[in-house]
Amino acid sequence: MFPHLQTAMTPKPAGPPDGGWGWMVAASVFAVNGLSYGLLRSLGLALPDLAEHFDRSAQDTAWVSALALAVQQAASPVGSALSTRWGARPVVMVGGVLTSLGFVISAFARSLLHLYLGLGLLAGSGWALVFAPALGTLSRYFSRRRVLAVGLALTGNGASSLLLAPALQLFLDTFGWRGALLLLGAITLHLTPCGALLRPLALPGDPPAPPRGPLAALGLGLFTRRAFSVFALGTALVGGGYFVPYVHLAPHALDRGLGGYGAALVVAVAAVGDAGARLVCGWLADQGWVPLPRLLAVFGALTGLGLLAVGLVPMVGSEEGWGGPLLAAAGAYGVSAGSYAPLVFGVLPGLVGIGGVVQATGLVMMLMSFGGLLGPPLSGYLRDETGDFSASFLVCGSFILSGSFIYMGLPRALPSCRPVSPPATPPPEMGELLPVPQVALLSPGGPRPTLDTTC
């Protein structure tokens, strides 16, 4: 990750290569994303079986996925800190082994507590060592095409959901939930070879030595920057609702009257919209026509509105029905959520500089974990109280809208009064949204400067 990890014969490049081995890293992160968030999104299909087997409520079983998601995100700064010291490759490989063990152990659970420990703690800890170091490494390999590369890698979420949702339903029908968890343990072990593809890269923006002390390694000093603090607050609020569909979209479809495979189709439609939007939005963002913070606020608000639409769909007449309104709402949510995903990570180098992007990625995951820990259990509680998930999606959609409103405080998120000449853009290693002297030079081959306005 840093120069001391490179061999003496490895030359330091002038900047991110914007391709080359970076595309192999993008393929690795694609698989990592699919085997983490994509699997978590599909795991909600198993919750009704768990609730029936252990005779527990929807709120209780929701904690299985919620804990896995919360641990994965809350402990992500630890994965980032370890990768700054040892490199992303060994950290991700160890995380893959831990995740697989969590699923295998959970297949033999005798109570929900065992599932909390196996899937929530052990598998969640493995995912914490995987996602942030892998995505941070990818951001270091690209500059001009960074958001597109991140968007391409993050389509692994949708592609995995498209494949795993019907596959998991088949596993549940054929082998039961215990056999399904064993098979998922074998599948998640593929995270280990994904980590082997993360070749370290030294860049001019790197610090000369690894951070000393645990607080410095975690990157907590980034919170002293106003722009990152605004971004952190907005992201924490968005996390309160963003992951509810990962856990409860399939059960919501079942409550609306669809059968098991109909619910899987709803998840698949959302996944297709999610995957396609990540690519389109990544390409759009890299054109430089609209500032990234402004796109972030817009698509965050659209994601919140999409969740509101999912919560307001009517009941389906019978299990044989296709649930057209729910499919449409799920598709709209998938498109907006997919557009938001690459932006929330693509804006980080501009806020903190390329040298701090791995630590910032871990912190973003931790911030979203606060909402991720609250959202699914709150959704399950509201379902138990009201009899369906409508109120759950309405409340959680309001969290996302609130976070999008906070994003308006980011630099260049809002236009001002009159057009002026575009400011010079510093090299991406320094962070184009950080305060810089007006004499800073345009980065070669960087995104086109966008016209903005000021008072």
Side-chain angles (χ1 to χ4, degrees), residues 163-190:
L163 296 175
L164 283 179
L168 179 54
Q169 187 64 52
L170 179 62
F171 295 161
L172 292 169
D173 292 343
T174 307
F175 305 106
W177 66 267
R178 296 187 187 276
L181 291 183
L182 281 175
L183 290 170
L184 292 179
I187 292 172
T188 53
L189 189 59
H190 289 79

Side-chain angles (χ1 to χ4, degrees), residues 231 292-301 340 343-344 347 404 407 410:
F231 174 82
L292 291 185
R294 194 173 303 168
L295 287 175
L296 182 69
V298 169
F299 284 111
Y340 169 85
L343 295 170
V344 74
V347 76
S404 302
Y407 284 149
L410 291 173

Side-chain angles (χ1 to χ4, degrees), residues 237-330:
L237 286 171
V238 169
Y242 190 83
F243 297 105
V244 168
Y246 282 56
V247 181
H248 284 148
L249 181 57
H252 177 57
L254 295 173
D255 278 353
R256 295 290 88 186
L258 292 177
Y261 288 97
L265 178 62
V266 170
V267 175
V269 166
V272 170
D274 186 297
R278 293 181 187 218
L279 289 176
V280 174
C281 186
W283 175 85
L284 173 66
D286 281 335
Q287 302 310 302
W289 296 328
V290 183
L292 291 185
R294 194 173 303 168
L295 287 175
L296 182 69
V298 169
F299 284 111
L302 291 177
T303 303
L305 294 175
L307 270 183
L308 297 181
V310 170
L312 293 173
V313 293
M315 289 286 294
V316 178
S318 65
E319 288 191 3
E320 289 74 23
W322 288 99
L326 182 56
L327 287 174

Side-chain angles (χ1 to χ4, degrees), residues 225-235 406-410:
R225 300 177 179 178
R226 178 188 174 277
F228 185 76
S229 297
V230 171
F231 174 82
L233 177 59
T235 301
I406 298 295
Y407 284 149
M408 294 180 183
L410 291 173

Side-chain angles (χ1 to χ4, degrees), residues 135 138-139 145-155 278 341-343 345-346:
L135 188 60
L138 176 62
S139 295
R145 293 179 287 186
R146 178 179 292 129
V147 184
L148 176 60
V150 170
L152 175 63
L154 293 184
T155 58
R278 293 181 187 218
L343 295 170
F345 296 106

